[in-house]
């Protein structure tokens, strides 16, 4: 065998071995990371966990657990959740579960008043009968509907409610209540992170049109709003799989009987808390009709 060919063959074998070695190292270093998000000893459900340089984040489950594949050591994760301060962590060890502790934001702690609550539901505007809806606000997965309201007087309440219909094939809805003060952000939330499940049957055809569904969110604490304060009320439809948004999963929210009011300002916000999608698709969609809501007001 010629010497040149022999050397080339050795080099080829060496290169093949080297590439195989790199592939093995890469495969070994990329693994699945399991973790849990919590705060003050309690799990944080449905928090957004964002891997650096990726578009699609994931949600923690109802127990605060999450799992990320194809992650390498020294990558960073950013965790966002309503009512908590944003946190970025460096992944150092892929072989042990990552426990992430979130801190509640100061606005939430300042506004929250906890004691025995004797309250009742109160409507500030009229709503139409179920079969006489002139308009509605459509909410899709990973979309939020919010109404801006200036408090006409001092308000103390521990619940918000909305009226809805379901025109889709999906009955079970994951819904998150939203209340913000002054502006809309993770840091101005007046309530703790809460996600509840609602089974809403299709009720927009035939005799079912005469029925609607009432969504109530109650909190074990009071929210204090002063006269003249601007705050936002609404809800978010949580997707069942954030990596595969299902356009057929939607919700119809009731609007005011008179459709709109000078006191209110309603809009729909796609991907409101998804930082990566937010950069690509975020756009405030104003609504000509205003969202109907009720508050559970503290009785004197």
């Amino acid at each position: 065998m010629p010497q040149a060919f022999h050397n080339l063959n050795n080099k080829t074998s060496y290169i093949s071995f080297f590439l195989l070695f790199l592939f093995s190292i890469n495969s070994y270093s990329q693994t699945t990371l399991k973790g849990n998000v919590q705060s003050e000893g309690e799990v944080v459900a449905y928090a957004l966990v964002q891997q650096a340089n990726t578009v699609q984040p994931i949600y923690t489950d109802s127990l605060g657990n999450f799992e990320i594949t194809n992650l390498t050591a020294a990558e960073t994760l950013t965790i966002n959740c309503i009512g908590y301060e944003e946190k970025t962590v460096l992944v150092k060890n892929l072989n042990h579960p990552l426990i992430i502790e979130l801190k509640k934001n100061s606005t939430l702690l300042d506004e929250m008043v906890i004691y025995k609550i004797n309250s009742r539901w109160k409507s500030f505007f009229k709503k139409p009968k179920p079969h006489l809806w002139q308009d509605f606000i459509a909410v899709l997965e990973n979309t939020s509907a919010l109404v801006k309201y200036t408090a006409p007087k001092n308000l103390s309440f521990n619940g918000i409610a909305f009226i809805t219909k379901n025109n889709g094939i999906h009955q079970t809805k994951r819904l998150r209540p939203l209340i913000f003060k002054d502006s809309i952000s993770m840091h101005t939330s007046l309530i703790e992170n809460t996600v509840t499940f609602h089974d809403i049957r299709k009720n927009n055809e035939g005799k079912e049109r005469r029925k609607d569904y009432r969504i109530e969110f109650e909190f074990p604490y009071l929210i204090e709003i002063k006269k003249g304060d601007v705050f936002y009320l609404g809800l978010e439809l949580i997707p069942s799989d954030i990596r595969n948004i299902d356009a057929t999963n939607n919700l119809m929210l009731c609007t005011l009987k008179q459709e709109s009011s000078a006191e209110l300002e309603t809009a729909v916000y796609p991907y409101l808390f998804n930082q990566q999608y937010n950069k690509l698709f975020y756009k405030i969609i104003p609504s000509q009709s205003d969202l109907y809501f009720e508050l559970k007001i503290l009785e004197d």
Side-chain angles (χ1 to χ4, degrees):
M1 179 182 297
Q3 184 65 30
F5 182 82
H6 180 76
N7 292 338
L8 178 60
N9 190 49
N10 286 342
K11 289 180 180 179
T12 302
S13 299
Y14 175 79
I15 292 173
S16 299
F17 175 80
F18 183 71
L19 291 176
L20 180 62
F21 176 77
L22 287 180
F23 178 79
S24 300
I25 291 295
N26 188 54
S27 300
Y28 178 79
S29 60
Q30 290 188 346
T31 185
T32 298
L33 173 71
K34 295 182 178 181
N36 183 268
V37 180
Q38 52 189 245
S39 178
E40 299 177 3
E42 297 183 355
V43 300
V44 179
Y46 300 100
L48 274 173
V49 181
Q50 180 71 56
Q51 184 180 353
N53 302 319
T54 60
V55 174
Q56 293 180 323
I58 60 171
Y59 276 116
T60 60
D61 63 17
S62 60
L63 298 176
N65 298 316
F66 67 91
E67 189 172 298
I68 299 178
T69 57
N70 296 326
L71 187 73
T72 59
E75 285 196 53
T76 58
L77 300 177
T78 300
I79 299 88
N80 280 293
C81 191
I82 296 172
Y84 300 88
E85 295 181 3
E86 179 181 291
K87 186 169 186 177
T88 299
V89 297
L90 178 66
V91 178
K92 297 180 179 179
N93 191 333
L94 297 171
N95 298 318
H96 297 284
L98 179 63
I99 306 300
I100 301 172
E101 179 75 16
L102 295 186
K103 183 179 179 182
K104 292 181 180 179
N105 69 50
S106 57
T107 301
L108 176 65
L109 297 175
D110 291 342
E111 299 294 335
M112 192 185 298
V113 180
I114 302 177
Y115 54 86
K116 186 177 180 180
I117 302 172
N118 183 23
S119 57
R120 61 181 177 84
W121 290 105
K122 179 179 179 180
S123 58
F124 297 82
F125 304 92
K126 293 182 178 180
K127 68 179 178 69
K129 294 181 179 180
H131 63 293
L132 296 177
W133 284 23
Q134 298 297 315
D135 197 5
F136 62 88
I137 297 172
V139 177
L140 307 178
E141 284 193 349
N142 222 11
T143 300
S144 306
L146 287 162
V147 57
K148 179 181 179 182
Y149 187 41
T150 301
K153 59 180 181 179
N154 292 344
L155 297 173
S156 298
F157 61 96
N158 71 311
I160 57 175
F162 306 95
I163 306 299
T164 185
K165 287 187 177 183
N166 181 15
N167 194 40
I169 59 176
H170 300 273
Q171 293 190 6
T172 302
K173 311 292 183 182
R174 291 183 176 91
L175 301 176
R176 184 187 345 237
L178 305 172
I179 305 178
F180 305 100
K181 183 179 178 182
D182 297 328
S183 62
I184 302 171
S185 77
M186 291 282 191
H187 310 294
T188 59
S189 175
L190 297 182
I191 58 176
E192 293 182 314
N193 178 57
T194 303
V195 176
T196 57
F197 289 74
H198 300 263
D199 286 321
I200 308 173
R201 66 183 182 182
K202 187 172 182 178
N203 57 355
N204 196 41
E205 294 178 352
K207 294 181 180 180
E208 295 297 320
R209 291 181 63 247
R210 294 185 174 273
K211 302 177 183 178
D212 53 29
Y213 184 89
R214 182 181 176 88
I215 298 172
E216 295 182 355
F217 301 100
E218 295 189 48
F219 317 114
Y221 48 82
L222 273 179
I223 299 161
E224 303 278 5
I225 299 291
K226 296 180 181 178
K227 180 179 179 180
D229 282 351
V230 174
F231 64 110
Y232 297 79
L233 304 166
L235 56 77
E236 176 188 10
L237 178 56
I238 302 292
S240 55
D241 182 359
I242 198 170
R243 299 179 186 274
N244 296 287
I245 299 300
D246 187 350
T248 65
N249 187 18
N250 53 70
L251 203 58
M252 303 163 62
L253 295 177
C254 181
T255 59
L256 307 187
K257 184 176 182 179
Q258 66 273 30
E259 294 189 14
S260 63
S261 169
E263 301 174 60
L264 304 176
E265 184 178 323
T266 301
V268 175
Y269 303 78
Y271 304 105
L272 184 59
F273 306 113
N274 185 327
Q275 290 183 336
Q276 296 298 321
Y277 280 171
N278 190 297
K279 296 174 184 176
L280 300 173
F281 306 110
Y282 179 68
K283 181 180 180 181
I284 299 176
I285 306 172
S287 173
Q288 294 182 346
S289 302
D290 284 313
L291 178 64
Y292 176 83
F293 66 91
E294 296 177 18
L295 299 179
K296 198 171 187 189
I297 299 291
L298 178 68
E299 293 185 333
D300 297 330

